[in-house]
Amino acid sequence: MSDFDLVVTGRVVLTNRVIDNGYVAIRGGLVERVGEGPAPAAGERQDFGKAFVLPGAIDAQVHSKSQLNQEDFIWSTRAAAAGGVTTIVDMPYDAGFLVCTGDRVRQKIEEAGAQSRVDFALYGTIAPGDGAKHIAGMVEAGVSAFKFSTFNTDSKRFPRIAPQVLYECFSEIGKHGLAAGVHNENDEMVRAAIAAVETAGVTNYLAHGRSRPPVTETLAMAEVYEIGAQAGCSAHVVHCSVGRGYELCESYRRQGFDATVEACIHYLFLDEENDVARLGGKAKVNPPIRPRAQVEALWRHLAAGHVTVVSTDHVSWSEDRKTDPNMLKNSSGVPGLEVLYALLIKGLTERHLDISHASRLLAANPARLFRIGHRKGAIEPGRDADLVVMAHAPHRYDPSASGHNFVRWSPYEGLELPYRAVATFLRGRIAFDGRKVMAEPGTGAFVRPG
């Protein structure tokens, strides 16, 4: 057999161990061999010493087109490549374009394919009046999962789906073997809480958390998991900010149901009493950032294996939509693609947790959730050679310094990060060299479920 195309050496991080003197041998864009000790000959060799070589991240929750004439796939996937994210799973709630039919899925595939610098998979959704009638068509078009909401953020762009319609859709999705992901906030309780906050005249940073107390989140989660259990469908909660939610998910798993739960990176790092108080609207997300006690509860659940995946819920709102003095008037969501891997590794190392958690939470588990494990999610023979190299290089994060982000603000600005991405490989080719994103628009490919 001839030499490999590329060999990458370093501390190779698998899902269950670290190979300290490891190598990854790549041929034809695929991992062909993973080993320890002297590396085999190759046409090209990249040596990274003591740096970690990890599987490229699969960000399970990205909103590339939530605001017209703002960020698109050209920019979201640029930030992704710079942060070691080699596949994004994009949400179906684009401004003016609900991705709710097979034709709309195909249109988005074409448009995103022309722009993407890294690979991408897609969520599909429904228009409330359509029920399940377009689900089979979206499956055929290649969606990796479906997304719904129990809260009516916007009747056209991000609508609430009633429980009886959720049950109908879950039943159909279950027949195709895909997962149903749900934004978990009880509509009636949130609206009542918002009204109470407004009546009390609270407009500062505390307003948002009070308008969406933890029970609004966990009540919706119980509904989602029970509908999934009764409909025979994998039920996924796309973000959970409170420890009680992970307990609910774990109880359904122990009963034998395919229940999963996602921790957005902001819930693992930001807290209400410090960060929301300091940042105001720039820390507004749904569900809200919680007090520090809940942040620590989430880390305990992560260490116990109760967190399925970690994601960004990335969205780059223009700054004018995040700086209103009245907390409730700001748009919800924050950017995070460039620092997802760096943040998670920071948290793991500070808590003395094994770095292999990162390989599971950012790669292997998302690949399984979105049914793309035949290609993505691990440094294993036969998988796409998607790699990120994270080197120890302490620095303070400046979102405007790299030039890889559409917006110049971030809730993580000024945070000390011990590691940074120094190389990203997409299917065996360099996508980011540590300073410049090398992958051009159109490099990324659409990934279908296996």
Side-chain angles (χ1 to χ4, degrees):
M1 183 68 77
S2 60
D3 291 353
F4 294 99
D5 300 331
L6 170 68
V7 164
V8 176
T9 69
R11 302 176 67 193
V12 179
V13 183
L14 306 181
T15 56
N16 59 351
R17 65 190 178 101
V18 177
I19 305 174
D20 282 325
N21 183 25
Y23 66 83
V24 182
I26 298 162
R27 193 194 311 273
L30 302 177
V31 175
E32 191 164 308
R33 187 189 303 174
V34 182
E36 184 175 11
E44 180 185 359
R45 178 168 172 151
Q46 295 264 7
D47 294 313
F48 291 101
K50 295 184 180 298
F52 291 115
V53 179
L54 299 113
I58 301 166
D59 191 339
Q61 192 168 181
V62 175
H63 298 260
S64 296
K65 304 190 76 170
S66 286
Q67 183 178 344
L68 289 174
N69 304 314
Q70 183 74 358
E71 186 179 47
D72 53 22
F73 283 87
I74 290 176
W75 280 97
S76 66
T77 58
R78 180 172 175 170
V85 177
T86 51
T87 304
I88 66 168
V89 186
D90 208 72
M91 287 293 171
Y93 303 114
D94 300 346
F97 189 81
L98 192 67
V99 184
C100 57
T101 68
D103 286 343
R104 289 195 168 201
V105 171
R106 284 182 281 271
Q107 181 177 334
K108 186 166 181 177
I109 292 168
E110 182 177 355
E111 293 173 356
Q115 294 188 337
S116 292
R117 303 171 192 265
V118 302
D119 290 350
F120 65 98
L122 295 179
Y123 267 102
T125 189
I126 67 162
D130 288 343
K133 72 178 182 179
H134 292 300
I135 284 174
M138 286 185 278
V139 172
E140 183 180 1
V143 298
S144 282
F146 288 85
K147 172 76 181 294
F148 308 99
S149 179
T150 54
F151 179 76
N152 195 65
T153 300
D154 184 289
S155 296
K156 291 184 177 179
R157 191 185 74 83
F158 203 160
R160 172 184 182 251
I161 305 301
Q164 67 273 17
V165 182
L166 280 181
Y167 180 76
E168 176 192 353
C169 291
F170 276 42
S171 298
E172 179 64 21
I173 294 165
K175 297 174 185 176
H176 299 281
L178 299 183
V182 183
H183 176 108
N184 49 308
E185 294 181 297
N186 181 275
D187 192 88
E188 291 82 359
M189 289 195 73
V190 169
R191 296 198 183 284
I194 290 173
V197 168
E198 291 176 337
T199 298
V202 181
T203 61
N204 67 0
Y205 77 96
L206 293 170
H208 189 50
R210 292 181 183 178
S211 74
R212 290 167 139 87
V215 67
T216 63
E217 191 174 339
T218 53
L219 185 60
M221 292 178 73
E223 178 181 297
V224 169
Y225 289 138
E226 189 58 22
I227 289 175
Q230 296 290 339
C233 179
S234 301
H236 179 63
V237 167
V238 301
H239 35 43
C240 179
S241 69
V242 293
R244 173 62 180 156
Y246 295 87
E247 294 167 8
L248 284 171
C249 182
E250 186 63 17
S251 69
Y252 273 87
R253 277 204 295 261
R254 288 177 179 173
Q255 294 171 57
F257 299 109
D258 188 15
T260 51
V261 63
E262 194 167 321
C264 298
I265 196 71
H266 41 258
Y267 298 131
L268 295 169
F269 276 88
L270 307 179
D271 66 54
E272 183 182 56
E273 57 266 45
N274 295 295
D275 301 298
V276 183
R278 173 175 56 91
L279 294 166
K282 289 184 178 179
K284 185 187 176 191
V285 295
N286 291 336
I289 303 296
R290 303 295 182 184
R292 174 52 53 172
Q294 289 295 342
V295 176
E296 296 307 321
L298 265 59
W299 277 105
R300 289 193 294 273
H301 281 290
L302 187 152
H306 299 163
V307 176
T308 312
V309 298
V310 173
S311 70
T312 61
D313 201 359
H314 171 97
V315 59
S316 291
W317 296 117
S318 55
E319 203 159 357
D320 62 296
R321 297 183 65 165
K322 297 293 289 180
T323 52
D324 195 298
N326 185 335
M327 187 69 175
L328 296 184
K329 291 185 178 180
N330 291 289
S331 296
S332 294
V334 296
L337 275 162
E338 188 179 39
V339 285
L340 172 61
Y341 238 127
L343 286 168
L344 183 59
I345 292 177
K346 171 183 171 70
L348 293 172
T349 55
E350 288 177 349
R351 289 167 174 79
H352 307 290
L353 297 173
D354 197 290
I355 195 170
S356 62
H357 280 285
S359 289
R360 295 191 295 274
L361 294 167
L362 296 183
N365 291 357
R368 188 178 308 113
L369 175 65
F370 296 107
R371 298 4 181 201
I372 57 176
H374 61 297
R375 288 184 53 185
K376 304 293 185 182
I379 305 175
E380 292 180 359
R383 306 280 187 104
D384 285 355
D386 297 344
L387 308 173
V388 58
V389 182
M390 300 295 296
H392 188 255
H395 64 287
R396 289 198 177 275
Y397 180 57
D398 180 352
S400 64
S402 69
H404 300 311
N405 301 290
F406 186 84
V407 293
R408 300 174 69 86
W409 68 271
S410 166
Y412 312 112
E413 182 173 1
L415 198 65
E416 181 79 22
L417 298 175
Y419 287 81
R420 70 161 75 234
V422 295
T424 303
F425 297 88
L426 176 67
R427 289 176 269 117
R429 292 178 177 268
I430 191 76
F432 174 65
D433 68 1
R435 294 180 61 190
K436 182 180 179 182
V437 172
M438 309 298 289
E440 295 293 334
T443 303
F446 178 58
V447 184
R448 292 173 175 266

